Amino acid sequence: MKLLSGSPLADKLQIPVVSLEWTECLDKRPTDRTSDDLDAIFSKLKDVKAFEKFHPLLIQQLCYYSYFESLEKGVTLFRTGDLGANWFAILSGSVDVCVPAENGKGHTLICTLEAGAAFGESILYDAPRNATVITSSAVMLLRVEQKDFKILWERNKQYMHGVITSLSKLTNTLDPKRRASEFDPSLLPQVASSKFMKDDPTRNPALPIIPAPSVRIQHAAYVLRSCILSKAQQMIRDRKYHLKMHRSCLVGSEMVDWLIHQSPLVHSRSQAVGMWQALLEEAAITHVSQEHYFKDKYLFYRFSGDESGTLTRPSTAEESDCEEQLNDVILTLSQVGPDAMLRMILRKPPHERTIDDLEIIYDELLHIKALSHLSSLVKRELASVLIFEAHPFKGEVLFSQGDEGKSWYIILKGSVQCIIYGKGVVGTLHEGDDFGKLSLVNNSPRTATIILNEDNTHFLRVDKDDFNRILRDVEANTIRLKEFGKDVLILDKVPINVKTADGTYQVCYKYSIMSGTAEKILEYLLETYICVNCEEGDTNLDDFVSTYVIFMPTNQMCATLLAIYKAKPQQRAGENMDLTLREKVKVIRFILEWHDASKETFFEDPKINVFLTELHHLIRIDVKIYPQLKEEIKLIESIMENDSDPKETRKSKLPWKQRNSIDKPKMIRPSDEVIFKVYCADHTYTTMKMRIDTPASKIIRLAADKLGLRADQPNDLKLCEVRSTGERILYKESDLSISYGLSLNGRLFLAPADHLDALVPLPEQEGPQRGTWQKLEMFGSKELAYAITMQDYELFMAINQHELLYQVFGRYKFGKLTANLDIFMRRFNEIQYWIVTEICLTPSPGKRVQLLRKFIKLASYCKEYRNLNSFFAIVMGLSNIAVSRLSLTWERLPSKIKRMFSEFETLMDPSRNHRVYRSTLTKLTPPTILFMPLLLKDLTFTHEGNKTYLIEALVNFEKMRMLSHTMRTLKICRSQAL
Ligand code: CMP
């Protein structure tokens, strides 16, 4: 329905001008309402007479959630016993509340609700209606749907007291049992007691915000007092009120009158109020019993010092001097008055703020940089909860690193220093900057200590509950943390699914790392994820330990951790023993996560050994000061001994890490020795036994000695692989893990550089002359699949996840081995070519058909054993052109087997990025042996499509997250023992 100004209903509503828009806005779905819509609705509703007693905050919420309804007389809104779906507030008109008559015929009227009443709150409890409500005249209503009303109620309980009409209360004489289960406003928590606020200068605008006035305000008070004494002496006198005598005081309303008459600069009473409040907040004047901030009322105020009578009357010369200065003083006060007025409003308890107060705050919020991205509705909500906080002295610690985050701050005046444990002051934040939301959003401890950098610093503060309710989901998405003027960490707010206590999932927001320096990322993780309850579903820590090898060399990681461990507290920054202990524990706990991710390769790097030994030594010294470290030292020792799994004493937070007792895989380590042959061009060879991490240069030297090869010039001898195809692959002198890097059927040759062309494969590389089909006949497909899978499983479990990254980023960059991964990849080729070879070497067509059938069943069993790597290898072997072209053999296969094979081929269908395979893999329960080439391809794609470093050498952590996400498939596949 649309209203036109001047219509009878509009007159009844007492809405001055009723435009078409606001009711149309109320027809839209809440989520579709724009800020302008909400502003239009709010500006109308706040003037509706019937809603006078509604708190502005409640009206704001109604703008968002309610729908407009206009109904004729005699419409039944709901009946007794109905399950309710809406809550109503009457804008105009009236409704009758009735219950069924005792004789069962018709209704008995209980009462009539008029404009301003609200009813229907039984929807909160899903209770049936216990009265019938019928419109008794044409009515205009606001209607709120049940789901929205529940939110509205949760947010505004305290403001709905006295607004809601409980139908159950009205009807309780008729059905007393209902009453207990229904809404009873008297059970509502009362608005927080103001007792403790009274003593808090921040919350009580009647108290000064600094103990003594600034020179400027002191001077202004002196001039004003002198002028009053010379021109209107009677204004300052002893007054009696409620049998109590108040010495030398003035009346608030008279002070306003006087000021207005002194200068045309003071053009309104409210302006004068602000000017006097500027004196009050600096303790230059006070209310006689410090109960009231400055009000234009019959309340007594006095100039400081007048109560004790220490102030004397100025001399005539001084008075005339002051009169000359009066205009300047009024000018000064008119400049500071509006701010004092704003502070006065902001120091009032939120429920005491009037609509005009909220408008003043709202107007001010429009100019605050830190809030510029927020919608006007959010700013209006903030206006009612923002708290002013003033701190008189420089050097005060606002909060310390490691504290629980309780509030978010915006600097209104002054500046603060941001201090990080072990680093000192990393930056200064100024007027308009905000801080302190990281810990609120992340629900983690404070990441820095904040110290006031100037006297008389002012903040706007939003407390945690209000922040979470109003801002958490809409607050700025990106945060840039700076140190020494440079960006060191860029965070982005992302939704994550968090498991709640009742097992359901709920979306919550967290600041997730986008990019940063390696050290700051590590520091942030230590602060945010170690020693705090981190939610399942948050992968930041796992992303870091899975990928750090790419951007943080081990020595840098060890040095950073040692620096944090060794850092000394700074007394100035309020850092104490608790914080120091916390920092130390964080380092130790992080090492456990790091060890968990690296597993057996943890000690491969000798630097880690040195680091752990030093750390262990330091902890042993520290235990004397911090006995709490006794438990921690045991954890470090269990890692160092490397014989007990620290996970047994401590359960990992990450679900895919919670495996029980998986046998330690037999990994290849750099120090392992390997036996291999090195051939000459004439196919003579020598056998070598060397460590796997022996570089090619050393193999060349030793093999040359043994083979009696002399180089004409230094570096003339070359090591290369000759493949069965004749292809030659040259090794660089620095290459490692040569023998494991050989391809299937490849051989290692040593020859002078200009003889390389003469190298030809050995006869044995041609492959076998005869198949082993006779032997294969002795084994069932299931038995074979089992044996293959057991062996694959061992190789699969031995792969270290970092090997995947070394492989994709280029192992030469890291100087690391990928032997375990190489062997697993070679295994794939081994199986594939074994299939091709056996089929092709089976002479009799009948036997070949049998073998083909056996291999298809072998693939089927591998799939059943969730060994997708060998499954793919077998199917690819069977699809090899040498096998697929044997059409007569294929024709003779039973159709059931042929169908089975076609199904297998579908699983390998590469279209839509191997969708069929990927969805099959996710459905399998671990342990699963995945198809490794595809995993490596995914990682390569991510690597090639994304930069590792962004501007200013910040690590692109988004890339790390993507890599880690792909690698997580590997972890999930290996998360259960066979
Ligand atoms: P929070 O962790 O809640 O409390 C300390 C605040 O300091 C933090 O939120 C950030 O808002 C702010 N801060 C500013 N610069 C840095 C920095 N380089 N490192 C950590 N915190 C910072």
Side-chain angles (χ1 to χ4, degrees), residues 554-555 558 562 602-618 640:
T554 313
N555 50 355
C558 296
L562 263 186
F602 192 63
F603 290 99
E604 269 172 20
D605 197 328
K607 289 177 207 110
I608 295 187
N609 262 318
V610 175
F611 161 68
L612 280 189
T613 314
E614 182 174 355
L615 188 75
H616 184 247
H617 174 69
L618 291 173
M640 291 173 82

Side-chain angles (χ1 to χ4, degrees), residues 399 418 420 426 429 434-440 445-448 450 481-483 488 520:
F399 57 72
C418 181
I420 291 181
V426 294
L429 302 172
D434 70 300
F435 59 89
K437 65 184 158 215
L438 267 186
S439 54
L440 297 190
R446 294 288 193 197
T447 54
I450 299 289
L481 295 185
K482 289 182 188 288
E483 283 180 10
V488 285
K520 187 69 189 177

Side-chain angles (χ1 to χ4, degrees), residues 2 7 37 104 111 234 266 281 285 289 436 478 501 505 591 760 908:
K2 290 167 187 170
S7 76
D37 292 342
C111 70
Q234 74 293 349
V266 190
E281 67 171 21
I285 62 167
S289 54
T478 307
Y505 281 88
I591 292 169
V760 288
M908 293 183 46

Side-chain angles (χ1 to χ4, degrees), residues 805-824:
L805 298 176
Y806 301 144
Q807 172 75 23
V808 169
F809 281 70
R811 43 185 138 157
Y812 61 92
K813 282 193 194 152
F814 303 93
K816 295 279 186 187
L817 304 187
T818 56
N820 297 290
L821 179 63
D822 292 343
I823 292 196
F824 187 73

Side-chain angles (χ1 to χ4, degrees), residues 42-43 46-47 52 54-57 59-60 270 293 338 341-346 348 350-365 380 383-384:
F42 182 72
S43 60
K46 76 177 169 47
D47 293 334
E52 257 172 357
F54 281 45
H55 190 279
L57 197 60
I59 300 184
Q60 274 168 24
S270 77
Y293 50 88
M341 184 80 155
L342 177 70
R343 285 190 287 271
M344 178 180 88
I345 295 169
L346 286 167
K348 289 187 197 175
H351 62 273
E352 278 181 23
R353 294 178 191 168
T354 63
I355 289 200
D356 289 342
D357 289 346
L358 294 179
E359 274 310 308
I360 293 176
I361 305 176
Y362 174 75
D363 285 345
E364 189 61 26
L365 299 188
R380 284 193 184 284
S384 58

